[in-house]
Structure formats: C-alpha cells, structure tokens
Amino acid sequence: MRNSQCRHLFLVPFVFSLLLLHPTSAISGSDYDYGAHPRFICTPVPLDVDPSCFPTAGPGAGAKATILHLRESLVQQKETILDQRETIRELTAKLSLCEGGQRSGGGHSSNNQGKDKHLTPGDNTSAPEQMERILQALKERLDNLQVSNKRRKLFQYISLKELLQRKISALEQQLQHRTAALSSPQHHNEDSSHRDDGEKISKTPDAFQISFPMRTNYMYGRVKRTLLQEIFALTLCLWIKAGAGPSLGTPFSYSTPGQSNELVLIEWGNNPIELLVDDKAAMLPLSLGDGKWHHVCVTWSTRDGQWEAYQDGVQKGSGRNLSPWHSIKPGGVFILGQEQDTLGGRFDATQSFVGEMSDLHMWSHVLSSSDIYGLASCSSHLTGDVIAWSDTEVELHGGVTRHPFDPCH
C-alpha cells in the first residue's frame, strides 16, 4: 500500500511544506557559503499520503517540516469533523421532531419517516423543504381522519340511539304492566286490571273525557307539562270522537318560541288530516268523520323523517322526509283543541276542534305496532313520558267540560 501511494504521488492535489531558511539565506548567491549552511529544498507532501513515501532533504529538517504540516492538517480536519458533527446533530433533532409529529398524526407516517432518514449532512439546504412537504402531508391526513371520525361517530350514534330506544320501550312496558298489576288491590281476582289472555282493561288510571261543543277561539285545554329537553322521536296517541262539522279542526298543537307549528295534528278546510313537524306537513290517511270513538296514534322519527299513522290499532299509512334530522325543541306549550299562531295563543275559530277526546299520551320514542295495538284493543295501558293523561295535568279554559269516561269499559 505504501509503494502504491508513492507511485501516485503527482496525481493528487498537494501542498508545499514551509521553506525553512536560515536568516542569512537572504544574502546573494555569490556571497553565500553553502558549505557553512545547508540548503533546504521544498518537498511536495499530499494531504492523504504517508510522509514516509518521500525522501527527506536533510538529516532532520525535512521530517520536521512534514510533522508541522501534518499537525496543521490534523487541526483542520478536526475542525471539519466538529462542524459536520454539529450539522448531524441539528438534522437529527429535526428528524426527531418530524417523526414525533408523524406519530401524533395517527400512525400513517412510514413513508415520510423513510424520506426523513435519507437526510444527510450534505442535504442541509433541502432539509427545510422536505420538512415542509412532510408537515403539509400530515395536516391533510389529519383533516381526512377528523372528517372520517365525525361521519363514523354520527352513524354509530344514530344506530345506538335506536337500539337504546327499543330497549327502553320494552323495559317501560314491562314496568308498567307490573305496576298496574301490583297497584290493583284485587290483582289476583277476576276483576284484575290486566290479563295475559288479551281481555280488556276494566278501568284506566284517569278515566275522563273533555268536550268541545262548538268552534270558538277561546275554548281550549292546556297541558301543564312541557318538554325539558329536545327529543328526536315521538308517539302521540288519543281516543277521539269528531263532532258535527265539515272538518275535525285541531285536536293537538305544540308551539315553541321559535316555531308556532313545531308539532300539530290538524284537519282544516278541505284538506285531509295532517301531521305537522316544524311546519312541514304529511297527509294522514285517516277517516274519523263518522261520529264514533276511534283510537288514533301517530309516530315520527328524526332519522329520514319517518312517520306512521294508526287508526284503531291498524297502520293506515307511513312515509319519509317529514322534517328529517330535525329535533322537537323544548320549552314550548301543549294546547288541546286549538292551533297556535303564537306561543300559547292567538287562536283561530275556523281551526278549532269540535268533538270529544280522552286518554291522550305522548312518548319521546316510537312505540312498536304491537304496543299501539294493545292500547287500541285495551289489552294494555302505557303511560306517556312526555304527556300523561291525568285530571291534575290538564287545565280547561273557556267552557270546556270534563266528564267521567272510560273508552275501554
């Protein structure tokens, strides 16, 4: 190896060693005594070659010059190494920050990590640009993840809410059956208020009816309860008997500070019976003009605006897109017998109800078809969690009368 370096001496860059001259070497050549003072010759020494490849010009002066030059080269290389070490440390810190940002972005950063690992001290000028591209890609991925998570959570929330509503309805029905059986003093006798063989209930908890004898703008009933929080589904059931006249009028209305027609059941003019949710209407295929008692139920759900209409326990119609994704707002007023143009008032006599009603209940979920049939056939009695028919819960105004009445008797 040493001979090879010597053969390629003049093929590499070199530096010259310092010419060490005696102070008297400044004297002209004719006056200088070469015998008294030795002459020093400049010898080329490459930076990366062993100095032993070169002959020395004197017994010790050439070796001394070489050692000084090598010492100077060593100092320069040490400074270069320190500079490169600082560069490597800086790039390593940037890489660590980038990798940390990628890990917090959801774990999809393997490609970018691979790009960062290719950064070397020679790539110092392109490192900021690469970091910018990596951070921009991470931001876009994070935004996409957030959108996907929101959509997934929305569908999970809707599915879970429906499942919970079904379970709550089943539990409420079981609880009400047990409560009705235990509350009767003769629940083991023949006069039991509930039987498993489908016989009619002999008496409901509050057996009375209210009557609206004529069309006015001052006769109405007001439910003392209100909604304490918004609801996303409902079931409204009542026994109803239409009076004489061209239309049924408005048996039920619910208004809120922002919407007077938040929830309305109305038959007005030549229109069929309609269910209004947020002032949007669905026509119900019900027929109540024969002057007889009928059991009516309507259901609605915010999901796709799904609605159903039942008469005497049988579904007569259903549909979609009735104020979909809307929620029934809290803090409103429930009125019986009148349609509200303002919160709790400004009634129109032409839209008032004429007839009789009883056993009105409202739930904050959709009852099953079997539950509705049980109510209509008097084989069960469920109490509404929003409105429960009770003598103490309904205020009567303007001459509306109350009479004992049991539709299941």
Side-chain angles (χ1 to χ4, degrees):
M1 178 62 71
R2 182 175 296 180
N3 293 334
S4 174
Q5 291 175 346
C6 293
R7 284 195 299 268
H8 294 83
L9 175 64
F10 298 100
L11 299 178
V12 297
F14 58 89
V15 296
F16 292 96
S17 63
L18 296 174
L19 181 60
L20 302 178
L21 299 178
H22 193 274
T24 57
S25 62
I27 306 173
S28 62
S30 58
D31 297 330
Y32 184 72
D33 186 355
Y34 291 97
H37 302 279
R39 186 188 309 184
F40 294 95
I41 306 299
C42 293
T43 304
V45 180
L47 291 174
D48 54 347
V49 179
D50 191 344
S52 61
C53 296
F54 301 90
T56 57
K64 184 177 181 180
T66 302
I67 290 172
L68 290 174
H69 178 73
L70 289 176
R71 182 177 296 172
E72 182 178 357
S73 300
L74 182 61
V75 172
Q76 292 178 354
Q77 290 178 0
K78 185 177 181 180
E79 293 177 354
T80 302
I81 290 172
L82 291 176
D83 292 339
Q84 291 179 349
R85 184 179 298 173
E86 290 297 325
T87 302
I88 291 173
R89 185 179 293 109
E90 181 180 357
L91 291 177
T92 302
K94 291 182 178 179
L95 178 60
S96 300
L97 289 175
C98 181
E99 289 176 344
Q102 289 172 337
R103 284 192 292 270
S104 66
H108 300 280
S109 58
S110 58
N111 293 334
N112 290 332
Q113 288 178 353
K115 291 179 181 179
D116 287 349
K117 289 179 181 178
H118 288 90
L119 291 174
T120 63
D123 297 328
N124 196 20
T125 56
S126 61
E129 296 179 357
Q130 292 183 2
M131 294 286 291
E132 272 190 67
R133 290 196 297 269
I134 291 170
L135 292 176
Q136 183 62 32
L138 286 174
K139 289 180 181 178
E140 294 175 357
R141 289 176 180 171
L142 183 59
D143 292 340
N144 293 335
L145 283 174
Q146 289 175 346
V147 173
S148 300
N149 287 336
K150 287 180 180 178
R151 293 176 178 173
R152 183 166 60 253
K153 288 179 180 178
L154 176 61
F155 289 118
Q156 288 176 350
Y157 169 78
I158 294 173
S159 301
L160 180 61
K161 184 175 179 61
E162 289 182 346
L163 177 61
L164 290 175
Q165 284 179 348
R166 288 196 295 268
K167 290 184 177 180
I168 290 172
S169 299
L171 291 174
E172 284 180 344
Q173 184 177 2
Q174 293 176 7
L175 180 61
Q176 288 165 356
H177 286 329
R178 293 178 182 179
T179 303
L182 293 174
S183 62
S184 174
Q186 299 177 351
H187 63 274
H188 293 296
N189 300 330
E190 292 182 356
D191 295 333
S192 171
S193 63
H194 176 75
R195 298 177 183 269
D196 293 332
D197 57 3
E199 292 184 6
K200 289 187 177 182
I201 296 176
S202 61
K203 185 156 183 79
T204 56
D206 286 284
F208 69 96
Q209 69 177 33
I210 56 177
S211 299
F212 299 82
M214 64 183 71
R215 297 188 187 278
T216 69
N217 62 354
Y218 55 84
M219 300 178 68
Y220 68 97
R222 177 167 179 157
V223 180
K224 294 181 180 180
R225 295 189 186 184
T226 185
L227 276 179
L228 300 179
Q229 60 185 7
E230 62 180 353
I231 60 175
F232 302 90
L234 63 93
T235 302
L236 176 68
C237 295
L238 73 158
W239 285 90
I240 191 169
K241 179 181 178 181
S247 64
L248 185 67
T250 309
F252 174 88
S253 68
Y254 174 67
S255 67
T256 60
Q259 175 58 267
S260 60
N261 292 326
E262 184 73 3
L263 178 64
V264 182
L265 186 64
I266 184 173
E267 182 185 33
W268 179 55
N270 296 324
N271 299 319
I273 299 176
E274 295 178 331
L275 174 65
L276 274 62
V277 177
D278 192 31
D279 207 21
K280 310 296 188 303
M283 296 183 181
L284 310 181
L286 304 178
S287 178
L288 306 176
D290 57 359
K292 298 180 180 180
W293 282 100
H294 294 281
H295 187 263
V296 174
C297 280
V298 292
T299 71
W300 173 84
S301 174
T302 185
R303 186 173 185 180
D304 296 328
Q306 177 75 37
W307 61 269
E308 297 173 338
Y310 293 81
Q311 180 174 333
D312 299 325
V314 179
Q315 185 182 118
K316 295 295 185 178
S318 63
R320 292 174 177 267
N321 296 321
L322 177 57
S323 297
W325 311 113
H326 174 74
S327 61
I328 305 299
K329 301 300 186 294
V333 177
F334 293 106
I335 294 294
L336 306 181
Q338 297 284 354
E339 190 271 337
Q340 308 172 60
D341 287 335
T342 60
L343 185 64
R346 211 170 82 185
F347 306 139
D348 185 351
T350 61
Q351 296 177 333
S352 64
F353 170 71
V354 176
E356 300 170 338
M357 69 175 68
S358 177
D359 207 26
L360 185 148
H361 294 267
M362 180 175 169
W363 295 263
S364 60
H365 55 271
V366 175
L367 291 182
S368 66
S369 57
S370 60
D371 288 337
I372 293 174
Y373 181 79
L375 292 172
S377 60
C378 296
S379 61
S380 67
H381 184 83
L382 303 178
T383 302
D385 60 341
V386 178
I387 299 176
W389 188 253
S390 172
D391 185 60
T392 60
E393 291 294 329
V394 180
E395 297 177 347
L396 303 181
H397 300 270
V400 179
T401 58
R402 178 189 288 108
H403 307 282
F405 176 74
D406 186 357
C408 293
H409 184 65

